[in-house]
Amino acid sequence: MMMTLGMMVFMRQTLPYQGLQHNVDYRWPTNSRVGQRATAQFLGPGDEKITLTGVLLPEITGGKISLVTLKALADLGLAWPLIGGDGTIYGMYVVTDYNTNSTEFFSDGSARRIDFTLNLLRVDESLTAMFGDLKQQANDLIGKSSNLTSSVQSVMGSLASQAGGLFS
């Protein structure tokens, strides 16, 4: 597996991409000043886009069915998690557009070669917003485990006293 976008798995049998372009914009608006250079202020990250490009050779790789599946995914208009095959979590992305160019046809008119471009736009706030504060989650789990430990200890003490009562 190379990558997944929601339920669409990119691999050699479906949509193997040969190029991945990752573009992150940062917002730096400027204010003009008389007799001086304009000042710039950092406002944070802007759009984050990923472009996947590839060539499908339906005799070897995915073909029309893979493209129809991708189109159906895009037609839903939902944000999907984009996860790399190496475990990289890119975030939640929507399909802004995809293009295909078919060349070198079989005698029945089906394409022997399909070039594709898929453009994705990140729509989540950040991975922190997506998963929450991991430190807070860990602290909550630790707090719950200490409560669980004290509960187990009190139950064990109660069982021991009851068991001791049976033998006295």
Side-chain angles (χ1 to χ4, degrees):
M1 174 186 82
M2 300 168 72
M3 181 178 284
T4 64
L5 176 66
M7 298 305 287
M8 182 68 203
V9 178
F10 293 88
M11 57 187 184
R12 188 165 53 165
Q13 295 83 1
T14 59
L15 285 172
Y17 55 87
Q18 285 79 43
L20 184 152
Q21 181 181 0
H22 189 184
N23 182 33
V24 181
D25 294 328
Y26 294 94
R27 297 176 300 150
W28 283 91
T30 59
N31 290 318
S32 298
R33 298 186 300 176
V34 176
Q36 295 179 341
R37 234 181 238 127
T39 61
Q41 181 180 5
F42 180 65
L43 296 182
D47 287 342
E48 187 168 344
K49 300 173 188 172
I50 290 183
T51 301
L52 301 174
T53 57
V55 176
L56 299 180
L57 304 170
E59 295 171 306
I60 301 168
T61 63
K64 189 171 183 162
I65 293 172
S66 298
L67 293 171
V68 168
T69 303
L70 180 62
K71 184 175 182 327
L73 184 88
D75 286 347
L76 292 173
L78 299 173
W80 301 97
L82 184 66
I83 303 170
D86 61 356
T88 303
I89 300 171
Y90 291 95
M92 299 294 287
Y93 281 79
V94 294
V95 176
T96 57
D97 63 271
Y98 92 101
N99 302 297
T100 61
N101 183 28
S102 300
T103 57
E104 301 177 24
F105 298 93
F106 290 105
S107 60
D108 67 353
S110 60
R112 189 174 281 188
R113 176 187 172 105
I114 305 168
D115 296 307
F116 72 90
T117 302
L118 175 65
N119 292 302
L120 306 171
L121 175 67
R122 186 172 180 180
V123 293
D124 63 325
E125 295 286 326
S126 67
L127 290 179
T128 303
M130 202 164 111
F131 295 114
D133 184 358
L134 295 178
K135 183 178 179 184
Q136 183 61 44
Q137 290 179 22
N139 288 336
D140 290 347
L141 287 174
I142 290 168
K144 288 178 183 177
S145 69
S146 65
N147 291 342
L148 180 62
T149 303
S150 62
S151 296
V152 168
Q153 287 174 345
S154 68
V155 168
M156 293 301 287
S158 173
L159 287 175
S161 66
Q162 289 176 5
L166 290 175
F167 297 110
S168 49

